[in-house]
Amino acid sequence: MAAPVKAKVDGAAGAVQNLTIGKAINLALRSAMEADDKVIILGEDVGKLGGVFRITDGLQKDFGEQRVLDTPLAESGIIGTAVGLAVRGFRPVCEIQFEGFIFPGFDQIVSQVAKLHYRTQGRVKVPIVIRVPFGGGIGAVEHHSESPESLFAHVAGLKVVSCSNAVDAYWMTRQAIESDDPVLLFEPKRLYHSGNLRAEVDTTATPDPLHVSRVVRPGDAATLVAYGPSVKVCLDAATAAQEEGTSLEVIDLRTLSPLDLDPVFESVRRTGRLIAVSEAPSESSLTSEIAMRVQQECFYSLEAPVLRVTGFDTPYPPAKLEEDYLPDLDRVLHTVDRSLAW
Amino acid sequence: MSSPEQWTHPEPGAGPAATAAEPTPEQVIAGLRATTEGGAELTQLLTPEGERVASAQFDPYVSDVDDEALRNLYRDMVLVRRADRESNAMQRQGQLGIWVPLLGQEAAQIGSGRALRPSDMAFPSYREHGVAWTRGVDFRELIGIFRCSDHGGWDFKHHGFHPYTIVIGNQVLNATGYAMGQKFEGKVGDDNGEATIVYFGDGATSQGDVHEGFVWSAVYDAPVVFFCQNNQWAISEPTERQSRLPLYQRARGYGFPGIRVDGNDVLACLAVTRWALDECRHGNGPVLIEAFTYRMDAHTTTDDPTRYRLSDELEEWKLKDPIERVRAHLARGGGADQEFFEKIDAEADSFAAELRDFVFNMPDPPPERIFANVYAEPSPVLEAQRREYLSYLEGFAGSEH
């Protein structure tokens, strides 16, 4: 069995392109498939249709039906066969159509994808990427707007990342495919085609490593930490706060498992205050973990308890109510005020 | 029996040739006992009494099996059974955490396992110690799973034998994906083609993953043999709790051949599996084999079969023993003499003694094993947890506890 050729992270076109998040992921998939013929895409409607969000647009036309598989309608089938393909030496990239439909595949993810490497003392590598459009704000029916990432971050053996901008969308996709570990990539679906989030993607640049967090806006009054679609909410809140003279630091978590909280600790030691923002329900979630770790590491620096702005501990509501459910600029600023008043 | 041609890629609406004994719709509606042999044709080459039965379709697949080859199959089964019994005893003696007996299923496992070539890949569940043996995986490599000292780390590529899968049915999809890979790589299409075989039980056929594996393999013409060992019991649930229909007949609904073989007939299992693998090698897509057998012992050593099944059934199946019929056939036909049988028994005794000695002297893994190989890439978080725990343990150095 020939070992798969490792793709070099050098970009494909070698040009700077102005892209949305969706187009950046599409380019990353294309580049990865050009660099390594073991990279294949599996998913429902990913071929002719290009995916329901058009993220795989044009790939089947250029790479053929054995590289871009329009699969039967079965999520366990997508993940379970990807495991076998990975054992065979392929690097499968699975698209789950919406996060709410990942659960038929949850068994395969937890029982096989996450554990095969450990079970076999490293003999079996599982270089699978599972792409998951997640989050709300698109006015959808039930099961199309959820944030289940904490369920996966809790599983040892998996790596979980989430992008908030086009540059990261490109590089994180490339790096996830290159990783010999299984990576779940949670993509902020409502930002896929957001024109005002277009960015210059330089495919020849040297990217940050996959599993690091990043300060995306410096400040000194309080720290906001978020990931995926909530990063933009926090940046907008920081802009609004600045107009009132309050300087907020914003950290894009980027990696949900393993967590890279060193930048958060460093920031909290300067600001003394932390607000974690996420669309997911709060109980037993990533924001719980962040709060626990920050109080452990920054106990004497904290001027206020760690606070959070999250979805409620309810199922995702009917979309007519989602504006109440989702963390927005006002809720974030309100919570910043509570922290500052401590 | 239908001709081989009829077993190749079925036309829509076709499938395995109808048999006279096929149930009427009324019978199906009334709830057919899936475990009755009367309602389904059984491929058999060696009767329980050791008589050779001719088969136009399957004799060609075992034309190379002479007395020496039969003696080797006999030896395989005797050694595997002996190791199985020894392991069962070692669990009772507290040396193993659990044992999963294969008693009664030796022919299904040895026959199908010996049909494989080195380039093929087998995906087992957790009872396929006999198949492991045929793939060159030593019992000593397996036993750590049941000693609870590891999860099974043999060299799967070298052996062509995937790690055990404990979650029911998961491996059927994994094998389907692997077989898709064989096809995508252009490794099927002629006599030298590769194939995959995946083992599961009658209980697993109720799992969604098995259904999805059937669907996917059919859609992608994956070269995978679905080898269902119907041993009549999923712990305490009889096969009719899984199906109204003989399980092999399900294949028709997915568009590929299904066949029921006497799972206690090592020769028939060898022939039918070779035929099915040939179908796969040539690119004709998947095949379902239902090996009709019986789990003579408990599901695992934690189970008590006396609570849910009748001893009459056990006695009936004892008469169909997979080893005895080969022994009778060899003895009656002059293929082996008493000296041979005694030699194999002696070999089995020393094999079991070696295994026993190995298990009794197996060291426990060191605590740092907990943290090893969770990821392919280094994990600073786990490294920190490992260091912290090991330094905590060092605090006890020199103390009694």
Side-chain angles (χ1 to χ4, degrees):
Chain A
M1 193 188 311
V5 182
K6 284 286 278 187
K8 286 202 169 47
V9 180
D10 57 1
V16 178
Q17 301 180 54
N18 187 267
L19 301 171
T20 59
I21 289 176
K23 288 281 191 233
I25 298 169
N26 177 267
L27 178 64
L29 294 170
R30 176 177 292 278
S31 308
M33 292 178 82
E34 282 169 355
D36 180 356
D37 64 9
K38 289 294 182 190
V39 176
I40 57 172
I41 292 175
L42 301 85
E44 295 154 12
D45 311 301
V46 296
K48 282 197 175 67
L49 185 67
V52 293
F53 292 105
R54 307 294 181 269
I55 305 302
T56 54
D57 186 40
L59 297 178
Q60 189 182 70
K61 183 170 67 69
D62 293 347
F63 293 97
E65 291 186 9
Q66 281 198 356
R67 300 283 308 277
V68 181
L69 280 67
D70 265 328
T71 64
L73 208 164
E75 286 76 13
S76 192
I78 293 169
I79 308 292
T81 55
V83 169
L85 284 157
V87 169
R88 181 73 191 181
F90 288 80
R91 300 182 92 80
V93 182
C94 304
E95 175 177 299
I96 300 296
Q97 204 157 73
F98 285 87
E99 79 293 318
F101 305 141
I102 199 169
F103 298 103
F106 196 63
D107 173 28
Q108 284 283 349
I109 293 170
V110 173
S111 306
Q112 305 308 328
V113 173
K115 295 191 175 83
L116 257 172
H117 192 266
Y118 188 70
R119 179 180 308 144
T120 61
Q121 293 171 56
R123 286 193 194 275
V124 177
K125 290 196 167 45
V126 194
I128 290 177
V129 175
I130 302 171
R131 294 183 38 247
V132 192
F134 85 123
I138 60 165
V141 293
E142 204 186 358
H143 310 294
H144 290 71
S145 309
E146 299 165 12
S147 299
E149 58 279 3
S150 300
L151 301 174
F152 299 91
H154 192 66
V155 178
L158 301 178
K159 290 184 170 172
V160 186
V161 298
S162 184
C163 55
S164 67
N165 62 79
V167 175
D168 278 351
Y170 177 83
W171 286 114
M172 289 169 98
T173 304
R174 290 297 309 267
Q175 291 163 326
I177 293 170
E178 282 225 334
S179 171
D180 278 339
D181 286 317
V183 182
L184 281 93
L185 183 53
F186 280 89
E187 301 168 355
K189 70 166 81 81
R190 78 163 173 271
L191 305 179
Y192 271 148
H193 309 303
S194 192
N196 60 6
L197 280 180
R198 294 180 80 91
E200 302 291 314
V201 178
D202 179 356
T203 58
T204 61
T206 303
D208 282 339
L210 183 58
H211 297 294
V212 300
S213 299
R214 185 193 296 139
V215 176
V216 289
R217 180 186 174 111
D220 52 29
T223 306
L224 303 177
V225 62
Y227 56 90
S230 299
V231 174
K232 184 177 183 301
V233 176
C234 290
L235 287 170
D236 292 347
T239 302
Q242 195 67 55
E243 288 168 11
E244 296 174 5
T246 306
S247 156
L248 298 177
E249 181 143 305
V250 180
I251 296 178
D252 184 350
L253 204 53
R254 298 176 79 251
T255 178
L256 312 185
S257 178
L259 280 169
D260 173 30
L261 294 179
D262 288 346
V264 179
F265 302 150
E266 192 278 327
S267 176
V268 170
R269 286 184 190 118
R270 278 187 293 102
T271 66
R273 301 169 199 279
L274 180 68
I275 295 99
V277 184
S278 161
E279 292 183 16
S282 58
E283 192 173 13
S284 305
S285 68
L286 278 157
T287 54
S288 313
E289 177 69 15
I290 292 166
M292 187 277 156
R293 300 264 286 276
V294 166
Q295 65 80 27
Q296 193 175 27
E297 295 293 327
C298 310
F299 190 64
Y300 289 110
S301 306
L302 286 167
E303 302 287 345
V306 178
L307 300 176
R308 53 185 168 176
V309 186
T310 65
F312 304 111
D313 289 319
T314 69
Y316 199 86
K320 290 292 183 198
L321 295 165
E322 69 183 346
E323 284 181 25
D324 294 286
Y325 181 90
L326 294 169
D328 64 359
L329 183 145
D330 290 332
R331 267 174 72 198
V332 172
L333 290 176
H334 174 72
T335 307
V336 168
D337 288 345
R338 282 176 54 213
S339 179
L340 291 171
W342 213 273
Chain B
M1 203 72 223
S2 57
S3 68
E5 291 72 43
Q6 285 173 281
W7 287 97
T8 56
H9 230 37
E11 294 297 316
T19 62
E22 204 165 288
T24 63
E26 289 75 14
Q27 280 177 302
V28 173
I29 289 161
L32 178 82
R33 272 185 60 90
T35 52
T36 55
E37 287 174 66
E41 197 167 62
L42 190 80
T43 298
Q44 189 180 70
L45 300 180
L46 210 53
T47 67
E49 295 72 35
E51 300 289 344
R52 183 71 166 79
V53 185
S55 161
Q57 184 181 357
F58 292 110
D59 282 349
Y61 287 93
V62 286
S63 58
D64 61 320
V65 179
D66 54 12
D67 283 343
E68 188 193 358
L70 264 180
R71 286 197 299 271
N72 287 337
L73 292 170
Y74 174 85
R75 174 180 172 269
D76 281 339
M77 292 195 289
V78 170
L79 291 185
V80 163
R81 176 174 293 187
R82 188 71 177 78
D84 175 75
R85 295 297 81 199
E86 192 69 29
S87 302
N88 212 62
M90 286 192 289
Q91 192 280 333
R92 295 285 182 249
Q93 292 154 2
Q95 290 295 322
L96 298 179
I98 192 170
W99 182 247
V100 181
L102 59 73
L103 189 71
Q105 298 177 223
E106 296 86 353
Q109 295 196 14
I110 298 298
S112 62
R114 286 295 180 205
L116 295 163
R117 296 179 189 167
S119 57
D120 297 329
M121 181 63 82
F123 281 73
S125 67
Y126 47 77
R127 201 184 300 276
E128 279 67 45
H129 325 313
V131 183
W133 167 262
T134 68
R135 303 303 277 162
V137 178
D138 194 305
F139 263 77
R140 286 169 293 196
E141 287 185 278
L142 282 176
I143 207 94
I145 298 173
F146 305 101
R147 175 88 168 177
C148 301
S149 58
D150 67 46
H151 292 324
W154 55 86
D155 187 339
F156 78 101
K157 279 185 193 169
H158 170 73
H159 292 297
F161 190 71
H162 190 263
Y164 274 13
T165 299
I166 291 173
V167 180
I168 303 298
N170 274 184
Q171 77 280 8
V172 176
L173 268 173
N174 303 158
T176 300
Y178 189 91
M180 286 162 62
Q182 289 173 314
K183 187 181 166 73
F184 293 166
E185 289 174 7
K187 303 284 191 192
V188 297
D190 56 30
D191 274 341
N192 298 318
E194 289 184 22
T196 295
I197 191 167
V198 58
Y199 292 88
F200 53 100
D202 44 304
T205 62
S206 298
Q207 283 280 1
D209 276 10
V210 174
H211 163 73
E212 291 180 38
F214 288 177
V215 169
W216 286 61
S217 64
V219 166
Y220 292 103
D221 293 330
V224 56
V225 175
F226 297 109
F227 196 91
C228 174
Q229 291 172 88
N230 177 358
N231 65 12
Q232 315 306 325
W233 293 94
I235 307 189
S236 67
E237 306 284 5
T239 309
E240 55 263 36
R241 183 48 55 100
Q242 320 294 342
S243 181
R244 282 182 160 192
L245 184 81
L247 293 170
Y248 77 97
Q249 291 182 11
R250 285 190 180 176
R252 187 185 307 192
Y254 296 92
F256 54 83
I259 183 170
R260 179 178 274 190
V261 62
D262 182 346
N264 286 19
D265 173 354
V266 70
L267 202 58
C269 287
L270 178 66
V272 167
T273 309
R274 279 177 169 179
W275 161 77
L277 289 164
D278 262 9
E279 288 290 302
C280 290
R281 291 187 207 295
H282 286 90
N284 295 334
V287 178
L288 170 64
I289 298 172
E290 179 191 2
F292 202 80
T293 182
Y294 194 77
R295 195 191 77 209
M296 295 299 286
D297 201 339
H299 165 66
T300 70
T301 42
T302 63
D303 175 36
D304 176 9
T306 63
R307 293 176 68 100
Y308 54 80
R309 63 186 191 186
L310 298 169
S311 56
D312 283 4
E313 188 178 71
L314 200 65
E315 293 307 312
E316 183 192 332
W317 277 93
K318 270 184 188 165
L319 300 174
K320 301 175 186 172
D321 187 77
I323 296 179
E324 283 309 312
R325 68 178 72 183
V326 179
R327 185 181 172 121
H329 180 77
L330 283 169
R332 197 176 302 122
D337 54 16
Q338 191 56 30
E339 191 188 348
F340 167 78
F341 296 124
E342 284 169 7
K343 184 175 71 112
I344 298 299
D345 286 345
E347 189 186 353
D349 286 344
S350 62
F351 178 55
E354 277 174 36
L355 180 64
R356 187 178 187 78
D357 187 54
F358 177 82
V359 169
F360 274 65
N361 290 295
M362 262 181 107
D364 286 345
E368 51 261 45
R369 166 67 69 75
I370 296 170
F371 304 94
N373 291 307
V374 178
Y375 298 99
E377 295 159 355
S379 168
V381 175
L382 279 177
E383 182 54 27
Q385 282 185 14
R386 187 182 74 92
R387 274 200 312 272
E388 187 182 355
Y389 184 63
L390 292 181
S391 83
Y392 163 79
L393 288 182
E394 274 170 22
F396 297 99
S399 74
E400 289 299 301
H401 302 288

